[in-house]
Amino acid sequence: MAVSKKTALAFKSYQNHAQVLVKTYLLADAFMPYTSVLGGIFATKMVYDLTQLISTFYFRTYAGLTKIQRIEWNNRGMSSIHAIFITAMSLYFVFWSDLYSDQYTVGPVTFRSSPLSTFALGVSVGYFLSDLGMIIWLYPSLGGLEYVVHHTLSAIAVGYAMFTGEGQLYTFMVLISELTTPEINLRWYLDTAGLKKSSAYLINGVVIFFAWMVARILLFVYMFYHVYLHYHQVIEMHPIGFLLVFTVPSVLGAMNLMWFGKIIKGMMKTLAKRQ
């Protein structure tokens, strides 16, 4: 009993030291950007490996894929989990949290941030850096130049908002567009599994159309309208932040319109074949 009590006290002591270490360094405001980015990279790798493990045992299609197809299968799994995470966090901060509300009068909306918002953006930066590394390493197997541009701009803009605390609201508004990623990935999974003629493939295509229109077209219009209404606050940002607020959403918005045109053509082609 004496040994057990001594062991319990030692364990409690180590636990207290670990908590102090986490609060003082890992979760401290000064270290939050770095720990969240590293956490995002680690989580991305973990989800990639879990996708590979689960797919090996539960999806017969996976065994018949080529090496590069398996890599893309796993990559799309981790991108879907990131999309679900950052979409949920973005919707919370944009529509439910009081942090960026106009009724919250503590400072301009363009300079507001919190440990949670910084953490969420850091995790997203970790994902974009990981995925960008894979895209470049295996170029062009996982995506062409448009994917490199998209991920590079996203990493720069999200990273700037995370480190400086500027323009986080508009960053979250743009990140809501990740809502369409799981549907796009599901479309690829169904196609790879030979289910392109299934009802699930058709329904998913319709969902992509409406989700894309709302999250990547209409929401961008709303973001620029919000910038217009709060331009007197936006102009107070650092020139780099001011430039990013207008440049990155404009480029991504143009790419979204281009992809939306392809989605419309693909959906019309599919419906015509079914008729």
Side-chain angles (χ1 to χ4, degrees):
M1 290 180 63
V3 174
S4 300
K5 186 175 182 181
K6 186 177 181 179
T7 303
L9 291 174
F11 178 79
K12 186 66 176 178
S13 177
Y14 284 122
Q15 186 181 32
N16 292 335
H17 280 84
Q19 290 177 350
V20 171
L21 177 65
V22 170
K23 292 180 180 179
T24 306
Y25 295 101
L26 296 181
L27 298 182
D29 291 346
F31 295 96
M32 180 65 74
Y34 307 100
T35 54
S36 59
V37 171
L38 291 176
I41 294 174
F42 174 78
T44 299
K45 170 61 175 172
M46 183 178 67
V47 173
Y48 180 94
D49 292 339
L50 283 175
T51 302
Q52 183 180 26
L53 180 64
I54 294 172
S55 300
T56 301
F57 288 100
Y58 294 100
F59 294 95
R60 290 178 294 179
T61 303
Y62 189 80
L65 300 178
T66 63
K67 181 180 179 181
I68 193 62
Q69 284 179 321
R70 291 183 183 183
I71 293 175
E72 184 169 1
W73 180 291
N74 302 333
N75 178 276
R76 288 180 180 273
M78 73 182 195
S79 70
S80 296
I81 296 300
H82 163 262
I84 293 171
F85 165 77
I86 199 59
T87 298
M89 297 300 297
S90 299
L91 288 172
Y92 166 73
F93 280 114
V94 173
F95 296 110
W96 287 292
S97 174
D98 293 330
L99 180 61
Y100 305 112
S101 173
D102 289 333
Q103 299 177 355
Y104 189 76
T105 58
V106 182
V109 69
T110 51
F111 294 97
R112 297 179 197 168
S113 63
S114 70
L116 181 59
S117 66
T118 300
F119 171 79
L121 293 177
V123 172
S124 194
V125 170
Y127 160 75
F128 281 120
L129 291 177
S130 302
D131 200 28
L132 179 61
M134 291 189 66
I135 291 173
I136 294 175
W137 183 262
L138 299 169
Y139 187 86
S141 298
L142 296 182
L145 181 61
E146 66 274 15
Y147 284 90
V148 176
V149 173
H150 176 274
H151 278 46
T152 301
L153 290 177
S154 298
I156 292 173
V158 177
Y160 180 86
M162 174 195 63
F163 279 111
T164 65
E166 289 188 5
Q168 288 195 359
L169 171 61
Y170 301 124
T171 304
F172 282 119
M173 285 185 179
V174 173
L175 284 172
I176 292 176
S177 63
E178 287 294 306
L179 173 69
T180 61
T181 298
E183 294 88 348
I184 295 294
N185 289 336
L186 179 58
R187 181 183 179 85
W188 183 90
Y189 284 131
L190 291 172
D191 188 10
T192 304
L195 299 174
K196 195 171 183 178
K197 295 183 179 180
S198 65
S199 298
Y201 188 88
L202 178 62
I203 295 172
N204 183 67
V206 175
V207 172
I208 289 175
F209 172 80
F210 287 105
W212 197 283
M213 182 172 60
V214 173
R216 291 186 180 260
I217 306 297
L218 298 180
L219 192 62
F220 274 62
V221 175
Y222 172 74
M223 193 219 75
F224 282 115
Y225 178 67
H226 193 282
V227 170
Y228 169 76
L229 294 178
H230 297 81
Y231 185 77
H232 60 287
Q233 298 181 9
V234 176
I235 198 68
E236 297 178 12
M237 297 175 64
H238 188 277
I240 295 178
F242 180 82
L243 182 65
L244 289 175
V245 165
F246 287 95
T247 304
V248 174
S250 297
V251 175
L252 295 181
M255 294 174 68
N256 289 337
L257 286 172
M258 177 189 70
W259 285 327
F260 191 54
K262 294 182 178 181
I263 290 172
I264 293 175
K265 290 181 180 178
M267 188 173 70
M268 291 178 64
K269 186 178 179 180
T270 302
L271 290 174
K273 285 183 177 180
R274 293 215 166 232
Q275 290 176 356

